[in-house]
Amino acid sequence: DRREEDFLGWTLLSIAPLNQERIEKFVSMWFGESDKGIELLRKIQSPRISELATRAFLLALICLVFEDDRDIGTNRSSLYEQSTLYLEQSRLKTATNKLRELRREVLKEIALRFLQLDCKELDEQFLSAIVYGALNGGRERKSPKEFLEELATETGLLQNYGGYYGFTHQSFQEYYAALALKDMANGKDLLLAYCQVPQW
């Protein structure tokens, strides 16, 4: 990874899976002693969700989505659908339906490029070309650069560092790439080819 050279000499740490006690503590800290926290802990007992809850990032997503509308779905894809819809709407709650649809299409296209190019980040110029097409060749008021900046700052799905963009978490990248492949005529064949790539 290109960014690793910036951190030579640093210690690489991994976050250990959370056990049941830590999951309960996390949820309790998030919701306090409210009924919401107790209700969520009951829902987390579902086998498909309990496996996801052992990862701190995914548990935070579960809490975020549950806090918003008490629906976390029953599996990983439904959780990602709920959480990305929440983030696409933006923390500011000002995104229109048109803007949310545009953001989703751009994110799918970007994630597909990441998959095809086998990378975790792309430079702003490359992504601006993708956004330019999505913005109807410049007929929208925003420039591609402004659109990318807002996508990163308002949704938290992308991050910008030194002229490069990447997804804030590989789970989001994989989710949007899967959505893009689902919409393609030969998407299933491409998916079967990419399932041989270890990082996916």
Side-chain angles (χ1 to χ4, degrees):
D1 189 82
R2 191 188 67 81
R3 303 302 297 174
E4 287 181 8
E5 66 194 33
D6 295 340
F7 300 99
L8 294 176
W10 288 51
T11 302
L12 180 64
L13 301 174
S14 296
I15 299 174
L18 302 173
N19 60 25
Q20 185 61 33
E21 181 184 344
R22 290 182 183 266
I23 290 171
E24 289 174 10
K25 185 173 182 182
F26 188 102
V27 171
S28 175
M29 290 176 69
W30 189 289
F31 293 104
E33 298 301 319
S34 74
D35 290 343
K36 244 185 182 181
I38 295 166
E39 183 183 347
L40 177 57
L41 285 171
R42 273 198 303 269
K43 287 183 181 260
I44 288 177
Q45 298 309 311
S46 160
R48 292 181 179 219
I49 297 297
S50 63
E51 186 269 326
L52 299 178
T54 62
R55 299 181 188 145
F57 171 76
L58 295 177
L59 181 55
L61 276 183
I62 290 168
C63 290
L64 183 71
V65 170
F66 189 75
E67 184 176 44
D68 190 50
D69 65 9
R70 292 193 181 211
D71 181 20
I72 57 173
T74 56
N75 57 36
R76 183 184 306 249
S77 60
S78 59
L79 173 63
Y80 287 160
E81 180 180 11
Q82 294 296 328
S83 60
T84 55
L85 285 172
Y86 174 85
L87 293 170
E88 286 166 19
Q89 172 65 32
S90 90
R91 291 183 291 269
L92 302 177
K93 301 290 186 191
T94 57
T96 63
N97 286 339
K98 180 183 175 185
L99 178 57
R100 283 201 315 272
E101 288 172 21
L102 184 58
R103 283 177 173 173
R104 177 158 281 230
E105 290 308 308
V106 167
L107 288 164
K108 284 164 47 178
E109 187 69 24
I110 290 172
L112 186 59
R113 294 293 175 257
F114 277 69
L115 178 62
Q116 291 170 326
L117 298 171
D118 190 23
C119 62
K120 294 181 181 175
E121 57 188 28
L122 287 168
D123 68 58
E124 188 178 288
Q125 286 184 322
F126 185 92
L127 294 183
S128 289
I130 293 172
V131 174
Y132 182 80
L135 295 175
N136 296 316
R139 288 193 291 276
E140 296 280 339
R141 285 177 294 186
K142 289 185 177 114
S143 71
K145 182 176 180 178
E146 289 173 318
F147 185 88
L148 282 169
E149 285 174 1
E150 285 182 8
L151 191 55
T153 57
E154 290 188 15
T155 70
L157 291 163
L158 289 179
Q159 58 187 348
N160 178 5
Y161 35 86
Y164 286 81
Y165 279 89
F167 282 86
T168 51
H169 197 276
Q170 187 169 344
S171 297
F172 292 139
Q173 183 179 335
E174 292 170 350
Y175 175 73
Y176 284 109
L179 288 181
L181 290 170
K182 181 181 171 193
D183 294 342
M184 294 172 65
N186 65 338
K188 187 174 181 181
D189 294 333
L190 287 170
L191 186 59
L192 289 172
Y194 284 118
C195 76
Q196 304 300 320
V197 179
Q199 73 205 47
W200 288 89

